[in-house]
Amino acid sequence: MTAAVHCFAADHLAAQGLASALGVPCHLVEIHEFPDGETLPNVVACSGVVIAYCPLNRPNAKLVNLLLACDAWRRAGAARLVLVAPYMSHLRQDAVFLPGQALSRDVVGRLLGERFDHVVTVEPHLHRTADLAAVFAPATLEVLSAGQALAQAIGPQGAPLVVGPDVESEPWARGVAERLGASHVTLRKERRGDLRVDLVAPDDLDVRGRRVVLVDDICSSGGTLEAATILLSALGAACVEVAVVHALFDAEAAERLAQAGVIRVVSTNSCPHPTNAADLAPQLAAALTEEIHR
Ligand code: R5P
């Protein structure tokens, strides 16, 4: 079957990288915006497999265009639709935490799962989700790890202490620490609001004079990593660096992290961001090889 990568303008760079790794063309989806703000995606004529590269950062605008594009791709001749969303949105709302809220994970999972045949994502947020495949059914799902990519971005120099800011970050902290030949530990977190979190270190944690690398899946407001940096610096860490899979934070949050004492931030290019230092294209391409040889 023929195959091509398709993307929106904001993701063109990473989509082009994936297309080159796969040896297939990359097509831009043009978006027409009507005077009242309604949008209309325009896709090129296609056949075979459409690989839609669409990290779902800033998801409110992207999701509508993606759903409309799915219809357009089918009408334009696609036989199979594959969504590559290295960052998958709405998975943190994996429970109804307060009366009146939606279970966003399931709403968005169903919307995508009913339109795509296959979904590929990287390090999805799985805190209370035991079976992510069920969330995206009937589409099939492939989940990739970013441990190797993050470890490479951190670099081999010195063996840092890897710290996860909360117990849920343990798998990422462990994955990175193992690859660096370093040890790891997690803090305990209680969230007090969108921007405020309280963190507690284990009683026996000794970071005095050590290089610490904080590892988390997502940096959004930056509140978690800012609080962790302040705590670790107060406990005597020599320096604090940050490695995140999905960099969703803005310039203001970056400034707060720097003010807190973070000396370096690296991220994967699961979403476009100035801190991108780890390219996921080779891994994504390997996961898509079967798709393009169908
Ligand atoms: C939460 O459970 C996640 O693993 C991240 O720690 C969280 O999403 C970070 O968010 P923020 O940067 O807003 O503190």
Side-chain angles (χ1 to χ4, degrees), residues 92 125 127-128 165-166 168-169 172 189 191 194-195 197 216-225:
R92 282 174 292 177
H125 191 85
H127 289 186
R128 285 155 290 263
D166 49 29
E168 292 86 358
S169 62
W172 303 296
K189 171 165 93 176
R191 187 168 279 285
D194 278 352
L195 287 175
V197 295
D216 206 357
D217 61 339
I218 296 171
C219 181
S220 175
S221 70
T224 300
L225 293 169

Side-chain angles (χ1 to χ4, degrees), residues 109-287:
R110 197 170 312 128
L111 278 173
L112 297 172
E114 284 172 351
R115 283 161 181 81
F116 286 91
D117 299 296
H118 185 56
V119 175
V120 179
T121 191
V122 180
E123 301 290 14
H125 191 85
L126 292 176
H127 289 186
R128 285 155 290 263
T129 304
D131 184 4
L132 191 66
V135 172
F136 290 96
T140 52
L141 175 72
E142 177 156 6
V143 169
L144 305 181
S145 157
Q148 184 61 35
L150 270 191
Q152 265 167 12
I154 293 165
Q157 71 283 2
L161 174 66
V162 175
V163 177
D166 49 29
V167 287
E168 292 86 358
S169 62
E170 202 276 337
W172 303 296
R174 178 166 27 88
V176 169
E178 279 172 4
R179 288 170 171 100
L180 292 175
S183 50
H184 75 284
V185 67
T186 58
L187 308 176
R188 222 163 13 85
K189 171 165 93 176
E190 277 188 36
R191 187 168 279 285
R192 307 285 180 205
D194 278 352
L195 287 175
R196 207 182 135 217
V197 295
D198 289 340
L199 295 176
V200 183
D203 288 341
D204 59 351
L205 179 64
D206 185 1
V207 294
R208 284 172 299 173
R210 298 206 58 183
R211 171 189 171 213
V212 171
V213 178
L214 278 163
V215 173
D216 206 357
D217 61 339
I218 296 171
C219 181
S220 175
S221 70
T224 300
L225 293 169
E226 181 187 4
T229 303
I230 291 169
L231 176 63
L232 293 162
S233 300
L235 290 174
C239 62
V240 179
E241 298 168 43
V242 160
V244 287
V245 183
H246 310 296
L248 305 180
F249 59 105
D250 59 15
E252 204 179 298
E255 182 53 32
R256 275 189 284 106
L257 287 175
Q259 290 292 330
V262 174
I263 60 163
R264 181 172 78 131
V265 184
V266 293
S267 64
T268 75
N269 63 344
S270 70
C271 321
H273 196 271
T275 59
N276 287 170
D279 184 13
L280 295 170
Q283 254 182 287
L284 292 169

